[in-house]
Amino acid sequence: MFYQTSYATSGKSSAMGAIIAVIHKKLEDATETVLDSLKALTIRKVEAYGIASSATIQIEKNLKPLQTRRLNAPIVIGYAFQKITEQDTPQPLNLTGSTAVFDGRTFPIQQNSRDVDVFAKKLEGNKEERAKAFVAEVEGDYAFAIANSDRLIAARDPRSEEHTSELQ
């Protein structure tokens, strides 16, 4: 899965980050596929890259330190981070028993909390059930991927103009 979000601020559209999520069907390490995909991106001004399995996270300012990294996991997520607002921070983030990437904005905008914190809080408990509830309940322009040890959960806002939301 590849997804890049864009967000409009002050009438201007800004590209945000990009999420790469891979599950290797033969249960082999998916790290190289994620890194190759991140390397192939043509996003300008990437400020950080992150990769994660369900148990390991690594975030670097550029891809070079990640190129030799192997997470030894069949489910790996990657993220190319672009800072749009002061509240944006590099990811993936650590959740109980899994890791996740959240890219985008939720509406209404929360003045005193980051969108990623709203996302993480709503995912407490059963990640699959909570992810479905998040998509059903939360308005915005967003995409996310969650890496569990045996499952990849990915979705985007179903109300976006492309209507391509899918929960796997």
Side-chain angles (χ1 to χ4, degrees), residues 7 105-110 115 137-141:
Y7 175 64
R105 298 288 177 255
T106 59
F107 303 114
I109 294 174
Q110 308 289 322
D115 292 303
E137 297 167 6
V138 177
E139 295 286 333
D141 182 14

Side-chain angles (χ1 to χ4, degrees), residues 20 34 57 60 76 89 116 121 140 150 167:
I20 307 292
V34 168
I57 295 173
E60 300 290 346
V76 177
T89 56
V116 69
K121 184 164 178 60
D150 64 344
L167 187 58

Side-chain angles (χ1 to χ4, degrees), residues 46 77 84 102 136 156 168:
V46 172
I77 55 178
I84 303 299
F102 177 85
R156 63 169 285 170
Q168 302 174 352

Side-chain angles (χ1 to χ4, degrees), residues 16-144:
M16 293 179 67
I19 299 172
I20 307 292
V22 175
I23 183 166
H24 197 289
K25 289 182 180 181
K26 294 182 181 177
L27 301 180
E28 295 174 8
D29 186 27
T31 309
E32 189 172 348
T33 303
V34 168
L35 290 170
D36 288 347
S37 297
L38 287 170
K39 188 176 180 181
L41 293 174
T42 58
I43 299 173
R44 292 184 218 150
K45 298 181 184 177
V46 172
E47 296 175 44
Y49 293 92
I51 58 171
S53 66
S54 63
T56 304
I57 295 173
Q58 186 170 351
I59 300 170
E60 300 290 346
K61 289 190 183 267
N62 61 60
L63 278 173
K64 190 170 184 170
L66 297 174
Q67 290 300 320
T68 58
R69 179 77 168 154
R70 294 298 172 261
L71 300 178
N72 298 317
I75 298 172
V76 177
I77 55 178
Y79 186 55
F81 170 71
Q82 277 189 302
K83 187 174 201 140
I84 303 299
T85 71
E86 286 301 313
Q87 294 180 328
D88 295 337
T89 56
Q91 299 177 52
L93 59 120
N94 191 12
L95 303 174
T96 305
S98 60
T99 58
V101 170
F102 177 85
D103 191 52
R105 298 288 177 255
T106 59
F107 303 114
I109 294 174
Q110 308 289 322
Q111 294 299 324
N112 295 323
S113 63
R114 301 177 310 161
D115 292 303
V116 69
D117 294 333
V118 171
F119 171 72
K121 184 164 178 60
K122 288 192 177 279
L123 283 183
E124 292 174 357
N126 180 303
K127 302 293 186 280
E128 186 171 354
E129 288 176 15
R130 299 306 306 146
K132 287 178 183 178
F134 185 90
V135 170
E137 297 167 6
V138 177
E139 295 286 333
D141 182 14
Y142 59 81
F144 63 83

Side-chain angles (χ1 to χ4, degrees), residues 135-163:
V135 170
E137 297 167 6
V138 177
E139 295 286 333
D141 182 14
Y142 59 81
F144 63 83
I146 304 165
N148 289 333
S149 61
D150 64 344
R151 192 161 188 83
L152 173 63
I153 303 166
R156 63 169 285 170
D157 172 40
R159 290 162 288 282
S160 67
E161 60 188 358
E162 292 181 22
H163 299 287

